[in-house]
Amino acid sequence: MEHAPKAIDVTNDVEMRTFNFFTMGIDGHPLGLHLDMAIPTILNNADEEQQKDWLPKAANREFIATYAQTEMGHGTNLKKLETTATYDPKTQEFVLNSPTITSTKWWPGNLGKSSNYAVVMAQLYTQGKCHGAHPFFVQLRDLNTHKPLKGITVGDIGPKFGMNTVDNGFLQFDHVRTPRRSMFMKHAKVLPDGRYVPPVHDKLNYSAMVFIRAAIVSGMAYHLLVTSTIAVRYSAIRRQGEITPGAGEVKVLDYQTQQHRIFPQLARGLAFRLSGQYIMKLYTQTMDDIRNGDISAVPDLHALSCGLKAVTTHHAALGLEQCRMACGGHGYSQASGFPLHYSVAVGACTYEGENMVMLLQTARHLMKIAKAIRAGQSPKSNKIVDYLFHKGPPKCLIDQAYDTNYRNVLESFEHLARRQTLEVYDKLVQLQQQGRNYEQAWNDCAVELCKATRAHVRTFLARTFVEEIDKISDLSIKSVLQDLLQLYLYYEVTECATGLLEDGFMTGQQHKYAKKKIYEALEKIRPNAVSIVDSFDFQDRELHSVLGRRDGNVYENLLKWAQSSPLNKTDVLPFHHKYLGKMMEEARQRSKI
Ligand SMILES: CCCCCCC/C=C/C(=O)SCCNC(=O)CCNC(=O)[C@H](O)C(C)(C)COP(=O)(O)OP(=O)(O)OC[C@H]1O[C@@H](n2cnc3c(N)ncnc32)[C@H](O)[C@@H]1OP(=O)(O)O
Ligand SMILES: Cc1cc2nc3c(=O)[nH]c(=O)nc-3n(C[C@H](O)[C@H](O)[C@H](O)COP(=O)(O)OP(=O)(O)OC[C@H]3O[C@@H](n4cnc5c(N)ncnc54)[C@H](O)[C@@H]3O)c2cc1C
């Protein structure tokens, strides 16, 4: 196939914009879905003619589009989406319809009030046959009046756990006609006479989700680094209690417990950023390959992006909460910025594929590899999974005096991932031999399948962190980052210790060794902690935090922040005399009787 024209390569730009989304997203960015899902869909699913028409206008913001896939009744199971797009060959149009209440599109960001276009995922029917969910580019509102078009009911879904400045919306179609060419036609097509032309790979229509899953990894890094910055800076000015009696109150950052709470989040933020760059490069390369007719990397990209998305969002949610709790009462104030960052970050555990479902998608990939291993096949030189084919050392070596580039630690992670992958595969086979069907056996192994995925993703994150730090030539920076790497690796060893101890691979003594390395790393990081977070150069406006101010003037600004609250506009609020004052006066009168 001749080289398809390179589409406008906005990936890097989109990656940065996506990265920014996590800051702007916090403020409720009305172009969030336009930039991060609608444009990638046009880039990867529109044919040349459609790109020529839609892309310049989208890039120029002549309209705002969202990505409307999830329905009130279905988010995960795309096969059961109910919105229909039925082809009418007489008029060469699709008729979009929401047949049930549960088919109402529900959740799409910026759908409620901002967007006038949407990428709509609908079950495609032509010549009486359903061909599954396909994307359509549909106008929702008049470009001048912004009123919903005929047959379209659209609005905001109401207040949410967070991100309440984003107008997540609902959308219903009542037999709305849209031209044939509103169907994205790069992969699948419907010809004027209604004949369906299938895509070379039936999941290429899912590429926008893959993009966001890949982008979320760096997004979680962003959230962890931002909240670690807030927690480190505040802990470096907050004095509370003494370590040596009579020596005066210490900075809470000097408490080992405080370091153990915050520094691993810093280290994970770095690890996620490095893997986030890797997966975005893999995404960009795979999309280029697809443009040139090569779909071989699609399964690997899907498996890795699902696993990384699930693991990094989960750890980010836990890590943000640790940073909040480390800041005591002021951490619970909106002034800290934690409620804002947390409520945005945790949404990513759900959107773009609920985490359990994502872990299980990666597990599907791992089970294929386990089958190949059990069949005696050799690896296919795929650096992400080849280690599964190899036999590692029979025993853990993490406490060996000399561990070049943490090879012994990485081999421990590889051992655990290999063991869990093969054990759950063998259980799947055994259950089917005992008469269960595949799907039932799969469900009966689902928790262990998720554990295998987590172990595999941990191995990938750790190896990427080691490899990327190894490439650094500036020795002063390298030594500081190596302290964070040491903390990360041994912290992860203790996090998965159950799995390493379970088969006797690691000894209790080695587990103690790992803890010693953690405490050693905490001590080494402490003197550089503030400089490390300052080096991220986050602006105060993006931290949204009085506690994390670069100038450290927390207390004066905390009072200013409180005094600026609308409640403090007057000393006595009207409700006092209307309710509380009246109640107390009546109580005093009664007590006089
Ligand atoms: C960064 C800032 C932006 C923030 C804004 C975020 C706004 C949020 C937007 C959204 O939330 S958009 C909606 C997100 N929704 C989802 O993610 C839905 C999750 N569900 C799915 O993706 C799919 O249903 C599924 C769970 C992957 C199952 O796929 P399907 O329904 O087609 O089932 P099967 O027919 O069994 O297919 C499985 C088969 O297909 C392969 N596969 C699945 N997805 C992909 C993919 N994207 N790319 C490549 N391959 C894919 C999968 O590996 C299986 O292959 P085999 O194992 O059968 O070989
Ligand atoms: C903040 C936010 C923004 C969003 N933005 C958009 C958007 O812009 N566009 C859009 O289309 N959608 C959007 N969504 C919707 C989001 O993609 C869905 O919520 C998500 O895909 C999960 O689907 P669901 O809500 O239907 O949950 P369900 O799929 O009903 O899942 C409910 C529970 O069941 C479990 N479960 C479901 N299926 C399985 C399975 N096969 N195996 C094991 N467990 C399973 C899940 O893990 C979960 O615990 C957004 C959601 C949020 C929270």
Side-chain angles (χ1 to χ4, degrees), residues 88-267:
D88 178 354
K90 289 191 294 305
T91 61
Q92 295 192 22
E93 292 170 317
F94 281 99
V95 179
L96 285 168
N97 192 44
S98 308
T100 60
I101 177 83
T102 46
S103 67
T104 304
K105 291 297 178 187
W106 199 275
W107 273 113
N110 310 133
L111 171 64
K113 295 296 175 189
S114 315
S115 299
N116 39 27
Y117 272 85
V119 174
V120 175
M121 275 297 205
Q123 301 293 353
L124 189 158
Y125 286 82
T126 180
Q127 297 181 335
K129 189 167 181 294
C130 178
H131 295 276
H134 286 66
F136 296 81
F137 199 55
V138 185
Q139 185 173 352
L140 307 176
R141 292 174 179 268
D142 182 284
L143 292 186
N144 299 312
T145 66
H146 203 57
K147 286 204 171 304
L149 298 180
K150 185 171 174 296
I152 286 177
T153 307
V154 63
D156 182 89
I157 63 171
K160 307 174 288 281
F161 182 86
M163 292 172 97
N164 281 301
T165 47
V166 176
D167 53 321
N168 299 81
F170 64 82
L171 166 65
Q172 292 174 325
F173 295 103
D174 179 4
H175 301 89
V176 175
R177 287 184 170 270
T178 182
R180 177 178 70 90
R181 292 281 297 164
S182 68
M183 171 187 172
F184 283 85
M185 293 233 191
K186 182 185 189 80
H187 302 301
K189 294 175 178 46
V190 167
L191 304 178
D193 64 3
R195 274 175 298 149
Y196 176 75
V197 180
V200 287
H201 186 298
D202 68 343
K203 305 303 174 196
L204 298 183
N205 279 336
Y206 290 178
S207 64
M209 291 186 275
V210 180
F211 170 71
I212 296 293
R213 290 168 190 154
I216 281 173
V217 181
S218 288
M220 291 306 111
Y222 172 82
H223 280 295
L224 277 171
L225 296 177
V226 158
T227 45
S228 309
T229 298
I230 296 168
V232 163
R233 284 183 177 164
Y234 178 64
S235 302
I237 63 107
R238 180 71 171 182
R239 289 180 179 275
Q240 197 74 201
E242 295 182 335
I243 293 178
T244 312
E249 291 203 273
V250 299
K251 295 174 181 174
V252 293
L253 197 56
D254 292 330
Y255 291 121
Q256 188 192 58
T257 49
Q258 191 79 352
Q259 297 164 16
H260 192 253
R261 217 174 197 177
I262 301 170
F263 294 168
Q265 317 318 330
L266 206 44

Side-chain angles (χ1 to χ4, degrees), residues 33 37 66-71 73-77 106-109 160 163 168 347 350-357 360:
L33 270 295
M37 292 202 83
T66 181
Y67 183 85
Q69 171 175 292
T70 303
E71 296 172 353
H74 290 91
T76 293
N77 192 359
W106 199 275
W107 273 113
K160 307 174 288 281
M163 292 172 97
N168 299 81
T350 305
Y351 64 61
E352 226 53 73
E354 208 287 326
N355 280 356
M356 288 307 115
V357 176
L360 291 167

Side-chain angles (χ1 to χ4, degrees), residues 16 19-20 22-23 26 218-231 233 265-266 269-270 273 341 530-545 548-551:
M16 278 324 293
F19 201 63
N20 294 335
F22 278 89
T23 49
I26 291 173
S218 288
M220 291 306 111
Y222 172 82
H223 280 295
L224 277 171
L225 296 177
V226 158
T227 45
S228 309
T229 298
I230 296 168
R233 284 183 177 164
Q265 317 318 330
L266 206 44
L270 217 53
R273 182 68 184 119
H341 291 291
V530 175
S531 315
I532 291 170
V533 298
D534 284 354
S535 73
F536 302 144
D537 199 20
F538 290 123
Q539 305 303 309
D540 282 353
R541 69 169 179 77
E542 64 183 308
L543 293 181
H544 292 270
S545 173
R549 292 173 58 91
R550 195 178 189 87
D551 64 10

Side-chain angles (χ1 to χ4, degrees), residues 297-529:
V298 168
D300 287 338
L301 173 65
H302 174 57
L304 188 59
S305 57
C306 286
L308 278 172
K309 183 265 182 195
V311 168
T312 57
T313 53
H314 181 66
H315 282 160
L318 300 177
L320 267 67
E321 179 60 353
Q322 280 295 346
C323 288
R324 178 193 70 79
M325 291 190 289
C327 294
H330 300 326
Y332 191 74
S333 162
Q334 294 277 355
S336 67
F338 288 124
L340 206 54
H341 291 291
Y342 182 81
S343 60
V344 172
V346 292
C349 292
T350 305
Y351 64 61
E352 226 53 73
E354 208 287 326
N355 280 356
M356 288 307 115
V357 176
M358 295 294 103
L359 291 171
L360 291 167
Q361 280 296 305
T362 307
R364 282 177 82 125
H365 192 64
L366 292 176
M367 289 306 101
K368 287 198 192 92
I369 290 158
K371 184 176 181 182
I373 293 168
R374 287 302 189 223
Q377 289 175 25
S378 45
K380 294 198 180 67
S381 69
N382 172 328
K383 70 162 263 192
I384 301 170
V385 296
D386 272 0
Y387 74 93
L388 289 167
F389 287 82
H390 304 151
K391 254 185 132 26
K395 288 292 175 199
C396 175
L397 304 169
I398 60 167
D399 55 350
Q400 294 308 296
Y402 194 67
D403 183 4
T404 325
N405 239 359
Y406 295 106
R407 188 67 228 133
N408 300 339
V409 177
L410 294 177
E411 280 174 347
S412 301
F413 296 144
E414 291 173 355
H415 169 83
L416 179 56
R418 189 182 298 120
R419 179 173 73 81
Q420 287 190 318
T421 298
L422 292 172
E423 279 184 5
V424 67
Y425 173 76
D426 294 341
K427 186 174 171 201
L428 264 174
V429 171
Q430 186 195 30
L431 289 174
Q432 292 174 82
Q433 285 165 349
Q434 290 167 357
R436 279 194 181 72
N437 64 36
Y438 180 77
E439 290 71 21
Q440 190 55 47
W442 179 268
N443 191 47
D444 292 350
C445 296
V447 173
E448 291 306 309
L449 285 162
C450 289
K451 284 181 186 172
T453 295
R454 289 193 191 96
H456 171 60
V457 172
R458 177 186 299 110
T459 304
F460 178 83
L461 284 163
R463 193 188 318 116
T464 305
F465 199 170
V466 168
E467 287 169 358
E468 290 306 312
I469 298 302
D470 195 39
K471 291 176 191 169
I472 295 173
S473 51
D474 180 326
L475 296 181
S476 60
I477 294 179
K478 189 166 189 170
S479 74
V480 173
L481 292 177
Q482 279 175 329
D483 296 341
L484 286 164
L485 175 60
Q486 174 182 327
L487 173 61
Y488 178 81
L489 292 173
Y490 289 104
Y491 186 81
E492 291 298 339
V493 167
T494 59
E495 287 284 286
C496 66
T498 318
L500 293 171
L501 293 162
E502 188 180 35
D503 64 340
F505 177 77
M506 181 170 81
T507 65
Q509 207 45 45
Q510 288 171 322
H511 184 239
K512 283 181 184 156
Y513 174 82
K515 289 193 288 185
K516 184 170 76 70
K517 298 298 281 182
I518 289 172
Y519 302 139
E520 191 186 274
L522 294 179
E523 255 184 72
K524 287 192 284 185
I525 294 165
R526 171 64 189 88
N528 293 320

